[in-house]
Amino acid sequence: MGFIDFLVQYWPRLLSGAGVTVAQFLLAAVLGIAISISMGLMKLSQKAAMRGVAVTYIEIFRGTSLVVQLYWIFFVLPLFGLTIEKFTAGYLAVGMNIGAYGAELVRGGILSVPKGQWEAALAINMSPAQRMRRIILPQALVYMLPPWGNLMIELLKGTALVSLISVTDLMFEARQINSSTFLSAQVFGAALVVYYVLARFFVTPFMRWLERHMARKMGRA
Amino acid sequence: MFEWKWEFVWEILPRLLQATGNTLIAAGAGYAIALVLGLILAIAQRSPYRVLTFVVREFVEFVRSTPLLLQIFFVFYVGPQFGVRLSPWASGMIAIGLHYSCYLSEVYRGGLDSVPRGQWEAATTLNMTTVQKYRRIIIPQAIVPSVAGMGNYLVGIFKDTPMLSVIGVAELIHTANAIGTENYRFLEPFTLVGLIFLAISLPAAGLIKVFDGLVRRKMGLK
C-alpha cells in the first residue's frame, strides 16, 4: 500500500492520537511549570528543610528514568489504594519528571538576576514575596526561557511514553495500526513526521515568540 | 494496604542484578556508537559542501525532535518489511546510538567551535592534511570543553534504556515486568528498579563532575 493510500485510510486514527498527544503535552506542561517554580524556589529557600524536600524531589526524578516513574505511578500506587486513571497517570508522570529538570532552570534563572536588583527591591521596602513576584521572577524568566525551549521538546517526546500504559496517544495508535496491518514504514514514518511537525512548527516557534515577547517587555530586545 | 516483603526482595534481587548487567551493556554499547557517530555528524556539519551540511543539520534536528521510543519501533519493524531482519538488541542499539549521536554531535559542535582560529591556521602552516589537523590538533582540544556534556548524555542514555523493553530486550524494566506478572507483585520489582537506577545514576553524575574538573585542570583550563 502506498503512503498516500495509507494516509487516506488511517488519518482519522492518527489525528485522534495526535489530539491525545497534544492534550497530554499541555497538561504535563502546566503541571511541570508549576512544579519547576515551586521546587526551584524551595531549593533557594533559607530553611534547610525546604531545601531538603526540593533536593530529594529533584534527585529522585532526575536520577531514575521516566519509564520507571510512569510504571511506578500506574502499577504501584494502586497497591496503596491510590488508583489513578491511565490518562491522568500519564501526564502526572511526564509533568513531574519535567518539573525536576525545570526546577534547576528556575533556580539558575533566579541566581542570574544581578545582585543590585535584589538590593534595590529591598531598598524600596518590598516584602520578600513582592520582590520575588515583581522584580526577580520576571527577569529570571528572560534568562531561563532559551533552555525551556529545549525542555518543552523533551516534554513532547516524553509524552510518547504514556502509550506504554495504554493511553491512546499518537504512539499508541501507531503501534495498534502497525500490529493489525504491518505497514510499519508507513505508520511509523507518518507518526515521526507528525511529532516533527509538532516540535518544529508549533512548540519551537511558540517558545521563540515568547522569548522575544518577554525580552521586549523587559526592554531588552 | 499492600505490604513490603523482604523475602520476596531477596528472591528476585539476583535476577534484577543480572538485568542491571544487561542495562549497563546496552547503555555502554549504545554510547560507544553515539560517541563515534556523533563526531562524524559534527564534522560533517563543518564540511565545505553546502548540501551535505544542510542534509546532516536537518537530519540531526529531525532525530532530536522525535521520540526515541518511536525511533526504536521504526528501526525494529521497518527492516523486516524490506527483508532485513534485525534482532531486538541490534535494532535497539542502532536506534539508541543514532538518537544520542545527534545529541552528542551538538556537544562536539560546541567544542569544535571553541577551538581558536589560530590553531587551524597553525596546522595549515605546518602543511597538515585535513585529517591530520582534526586528529592531532583540533579534536583533542575540542574534547576538553565537551567532557561535561558527553558525561550528561552517558547518564541520559542509561536512563533511556528502559525503552528497549518494548521490543523485548531483557533489561531492568522488562525483567521487573516479567517478575511482576509471574508473581502478581509489582511493588518490590518496580521499587527496586527505581532504587537501582538511583544507585547508579547519582554516583555517576558525581564522578562525571570530578572527572570534568580533573580534565580541565590537566589541560590548564579554569
Side-chain angles (χ1 to χ4, degrees):
Chain A
M1 190 189 266
F3 192 64
I4 301 294
D5 295 332
F6 170 81
L7 280 185
V8 167
Q9 193 173 346
Y10 288 103
W11 73 267
R13 285 179 69 183
L14 291 173
L15 189 69
S16 90
V20 174
T21 291
V22 171
Q24 285 279 334
F25 171 77
L26 293 175
L27 289 164
V30 170
L31 178 68
I33 291 167
I35 291 175
S36 301
I37 295 173
S38 38
M39 287 297 158
L41 286 175
M42 277 168 77
K43 201 174 172 187
L44 290 168
S45 163
Q46 312 249 323
K47 296 189 183 70
M50 296 272 256
R51 283 202 306 274
V53 171
V55 169
T56 311
Y57 178 88
I58 292 170
E59 294 302 327
I60 286 179
F61 278 88
R62 295 208 317 174
T64 58
S65 145
L66 175 54
V67 181
V68 179
Q69 290 151 23
L70 190 67
Y71 279 14
W72 211 87
I73 289 175
F74 190 65
F75 291 111
V76 177
L77 282 188
L79 304 176
F80 297 102
L82 191 65
T83 305
I84 301 172
E85 204 256 324
K86 61 190 179 189
F87 184 85
T88 316
Y91 72 79
L92 268 182
V94 181
M96 286 169 84
N97 179 272
I98 256 7
Y101 289 88
E104 289 292 331
L105 297 184
V106 170
R107 194 182 75 97
I110 289 173
L111 288 178
S112 56
V113 176
K115 216 172 158 220
Q117 297 288 330
W118 296 78
E119 291 162 355
L122 193 70
I124 56 174
N125 207 20
M126 281 189 170
S127 71
Q130 277 180 324
R131 181 175 62 186
M132 196 47 91
R133 194 168 56 81
R134 295 204 198 155
I135 309 294
I136 307 302
L137 277 184
Q139 297 185 69
L141 189 61
V142 177
Y143 290 115
M144 67 181 153
L145 270 178
W148 266 100
N150 281 334
L151 197 60
M152 285 293 131
I153 301 293
E154 292 303 316
L155 172 56
L156 175 67
K157 288 158 56 182
T159 61
L161 293 177
V162 301
S163 67
L164 298 179
I165 55 168
S166 307
V167 176
T168 57
D169 75 331
L170 179 57
M171 180 76 238
F172 184 83
E173 292 292 351
R175 280 180 75 176
Q176 293 281 310
I177 297 172
N178 178 59
S179 58
S180 59
T181 64
F182 286 104
L183 298 168
S184 309
Q186 289 90 328
V187 65
F188 290 132
L192 280 170
V193 170
V194 174
Y195 277 110
Y196 179 67
V197 168
L198 285 175
R200 189 79 186 268
F201 300 105
F202 290 92
V203 179
T204 304
F206 174 74
M207 293 306 290
R208 289 275 152 76
W209 171 82
L210 198 62
E211 266 173 52
R212 278 200 311 275
H213 179 72
M214 287 312 296
R216 225 184 1 258
K217 269 189 121 175
M218 305 294 295
R220 291 199 193 152
Chain B
M1 185 79 171
F2 215 73
E3 262 177 52
W4 179 270
K5 274 197 190 149
W6 281 106
E7 57 263 47
F8 186 55
V9 170
W10 303 129
E11 191 189 317
I12 65 174
L13 200 57
R15 242 176 109 184
L16 284 178
L17 288 179
Q18 203 185 346
T20 309
N22 278 349
T23 291
L24 291 175
I25 292 169
Y31 193 59
I33 296 173
L35 280 180
V36 177
L37 199 59
L39 191 58
I40 295 170
L41 289 175
I43 292 175
Q45 284 184 56
R46 300 177 69 90
S47 90
Y49 307 106
R50 281 279 181 76
V51 179
L52 179 69
T53 314
F54 176 79
V55 170
V56 173
R57 180 85 232 124
E58 288 303 309
F59 176 76
V60 168
E61 277 301 313
F62 187 86
V63 172
R64 280 177 10 123
S65 5
T66 47
L68 174 58
L69 186 65
L70 186 50
Q71 290 163 7
I72 292 172
F73 277 116
F74 190 89
V75 173
F76 187 61
Y77 283 105
V78 171
Q81 216 179 349
F82 299 98
V84 189
R85 283 212 155 270
L86 288 172
S87 71
W89 269 93
S91 32
M93 292 304 94
I94 292 173
I96 218 167
L98 199 65
H99 189 79
Y100 273 88
S101 71
C102 290
Y103 280 94
L104 279 168
S105 80
E106 294 289 290
V107 174
Y108 289 132
R109 207 160 65 102
L112 290 170
D113 285 343
S114 73
V115 177
R117 266 189 76 92
Q119 298 290 326
W120 287 94
E121 288 160 3
T124 310
T125 319
L126 292 171
N127 207 17
M128 286 184 168
T129 63
T130 309
V131 176
Q132 282 177 325
K133 276 187 221 171
Y134 269 113
R135 200 164 58 83
R136 298 205 194 151
I137 311 293
I138 307 302
I139 292 177
Q141 296 186 74
I143 293 291
V144 181
S146 311
V147 167
M150 287 161 76
N152 287 340
Y153 286 123
L154 174 59
V155 180
I157 213 167
F158 168 66
K159 285 186 290 186
D160 273 350
T161 50
M163 291 190 209
L164 297 174
S165 66
V166 293
I167 52 170
V169 174
E171 48 63 68
L172 269 169
I173 273 284
H174 193 266
T175 310
N177 220 342
I179 293 173
T181 22
E182 285 161 23
N183 301 283
Y184 301 105
R185 287 187 73 89
F186 285 95
L187 171 64
E188 292 89 351
F190 281 140
T191 309
L192 284 174
V193 168
L195 291 174
I196 291 172
F197 267 96
L198 273 181
I200 295 174
S201 66
L202 290 185
L207 280 179
I208 286 158
K209 248 190 200 149
V210 173
F211 183 66
D212 179 44
L214 211 73
V215 172
R216 274 168 187 274
R217 253 202 318 284
K218 262 236 160 98
M219 299 294 284
L221 281 165
K222 203 167 62 174

